[in-house]
């Protein structure tokens, strides 16, 4: 299993979901952490190929840059959460990121009203999650919300803080922030609090710290995925593959919008 990073609690949960099912089936799982470095991830995967693993579960840092490694591993590969732009992949296990982006936009339209000025924190350039979440959000927001700033914060909390500080300096009148993951959203929460402002922040992932911030009212909502279930689905697809079953090209993991009102119920 090659994960983009284990610094993000979301991917720790994905790992845990895989390891829990693996333990029940006495499956040996080797885990590598790419630390959000595409070159490191490709090297990690090449090492796994040399060890002749039976299945590769890959969560790419960059969906394009992972292509050569996927092609090298083409006996059987599974990508988790983010797709590969090339190579033969058995299946993609992921939530519908485009749909999740749309859910976030519709919530912000209802909450803030038409033409509200908002900013968007984007993930790692090249990651399919960044593309799809942005596509869903921007499409639903078009003509409904005024997106005055879009900036990359790399799915990272510290960068989310810094980027939000910069956005607030240039756009002090924004009333909302959509963050393409909870980690960046939590950084935005820190920046907004420090600036003494009241801004509606919507995240994406539903990680533990994100849900906690939603309950506290620091974030208005998060589009919640189920990372442990995502990991379990990926490994189960591997078992089904070796059992000779037909595997869907896309296995969808569930999504739900969790608001402060919902969380406190």
């Amino acid at each position: 299993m090659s994960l983009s990073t284990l610094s993000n609690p979301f991917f720790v949960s994905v790992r845990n979901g895989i390891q829990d099912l693996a333990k029940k089936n006495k499956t040996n799982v080797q885990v590598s952490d790419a630390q959000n470095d595409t070159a490191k991830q490709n090297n990690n995967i090449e090492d796994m190929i040399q060890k002749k693993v039976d299945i590769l579960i890959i969560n790419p840092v960059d969906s394009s840059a992972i292509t050569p490694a996927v092609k090298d591993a083409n006996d059987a590969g599974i990508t988790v959460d983010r797709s590969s732009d090339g190579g033969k992949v058995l299946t993609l296990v992921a939530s519908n990121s485009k749909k999740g982006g749309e859910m976030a936009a519709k919530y912000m339209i209802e909450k803030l009203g038409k033409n509200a000025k908002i900013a968007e924190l984007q993930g790692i350039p090249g990651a399919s999650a960044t593309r799809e979440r942005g596509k869903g959000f921007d499409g639903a927001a078009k003509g409904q919300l005024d997106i005055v700033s879009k900036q990359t914060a790399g799915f990272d909390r510290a960068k989310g803080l810094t980027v939000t500080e910069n956005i607030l300096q240039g756009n002090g009148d924004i009333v909302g922030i959509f963050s393409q993951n909870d980690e960046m959203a939590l950084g935005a929460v820190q920046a907004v609090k420090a600036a003494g402002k009241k801004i509606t922040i919507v995240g994406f992932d539903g990680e533990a710290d994100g849900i906690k911030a939603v309950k506290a009212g620091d974030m208005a909502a998060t589009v919640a995925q189920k990372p442990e279930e995502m990991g379990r689905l990926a490994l189960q697809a591997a078992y089904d593959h070796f059992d000779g079953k037909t595997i869907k090209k896309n296995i969808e993991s569930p999504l739900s919008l969790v608001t402060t009102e919902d969380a406190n119920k």
Side-chain angles (χ1 to χ4, degrees):
M1 171 171 51
S2 173
L3 293 172
S4 58
T5 178
L6 283 171
S7 295
N8 185 333
F10 180 86
F11 296 113
V12 173
S13 294
V14 171
R15 180 199 65 187
N16 292 346
I18 290 172
Q19 289 181 329
D20 287 349
L21 183 59
K23 187 176 180 181
K24 292 176 183 176
N25 290 278
K26 298 181 180 178
T27 301
N28 178 33
V29 180
Q30 299 173 42
V31 183
S32 68
D33 177 3
Q35 298 172 356
N36 279 329
D37 184 320
T38 56
K40 180 175 176 59
Q41 183 163 49
N42 283 349
N43 289 335
N44 289 342
I45 292 170
E46 292 297 338
D47 288 344
M48 291 179 179
I49 293 170
Q50 293 302 316
K51 291 176 182 177
K52 302 186 186 303
V53 296
D54 295 303
I55 199 84
L56 275 169
I57 298 177
I58 306 171
N59 155 240
V61 174
D62 185 305
S63 300
S64 178
I66 200 67
T67 297
V70 172
K71 286 181 177 178
D72 286 344
N74 265 333
D75 284 340
I78 297 180
T79 61
V80 183
D81 187 45
R82 304 177 196 162
S83 64
S84 168
D85 289 347
K88 180 185 174 185
V89 176
L90 178 64
T91 187
L92 166 66
V93 179
S95 300
N96 188 326
S97 285
K98 183 173 179 289
K99 180 181 176 183
E102 291 170 353
M103 290 165 68
K106 289 175 182 176
Y107 173 77
M108 294 190 84
I109 294 164
E110 291 173 6
K111 183 92 173 172
L112 301 173
K114 192 171 181 179
N115 297 323
K117 290 187 176 182
I118 68 159
E120 184 174 351
L121 295 179
Q122 299 171 313
I124 296 171
S128 61
T130 299
R131 291 199 305 258
E132 294 302 311
R133 291 173 192 182
K135 185 177 180 181
F137 184 84
D138 295 346
K142 188 175 182 180
Q144 301 293 319
L145 296 171
D146 183 7
I147 305 175
V148 298
S149 180
K150 293 182 189 179
Q151 293 191 37
T152 298
F155 289 133
D156 180 80
R157 190 180 301 198
K159 290 178 182 176
L161 167 60
T162 304
V163 171
T164 302
E165 287 175 339
N166 294 336
I167 290 173
L168 292 177
Q169 285 176 8
N171 302 276
D173 56 349
I174 63 169
V175 294
I177 296 173
F178 168 57
S179 172
Q180 291 181 357
N181 84 337
D182 284 345
E183 283 295 290
M184 295 187 297
L186 290 164
V189 166
Q190 291 177 272
V192 168
K193 281 186 174 181
K197 292 182 176 291
K198 184 70 176 177
I199 293 175
T200 296
I201 300 172
V202 177
F204 199 121
D205 275 349
E207 63 172 69
D209 284 352
I211 294 292
K212 185 177 178 181
V214 171
K215 283 184 176 180
D218 293 330
M219 286 166 54
T222 182
V223 180
Q225 304 188 83
K226 295 187 178 180
E228 290 194 15
E229 175 67 5
M230 194 177 287
R232 191 196 68 77
L233 287 170
L235 186 55
Q236 187 59 53
Y239 292 148
D240 290 345
H241 169 71
F242 287 117
D243 282 342
K245 296 178 182 178
T246 301
I247 309 300
K248 294 179 181 178
K249 287 295 181 185
N250 289 279
I251 298 174
E252 194 166 311
S253 185
L255 271 180
S256 61
L257 181 76
V258 179
T259 67
T260 299
E261 294 78 13
D262 295 333
N264 286 318
K265 286 177 184 176

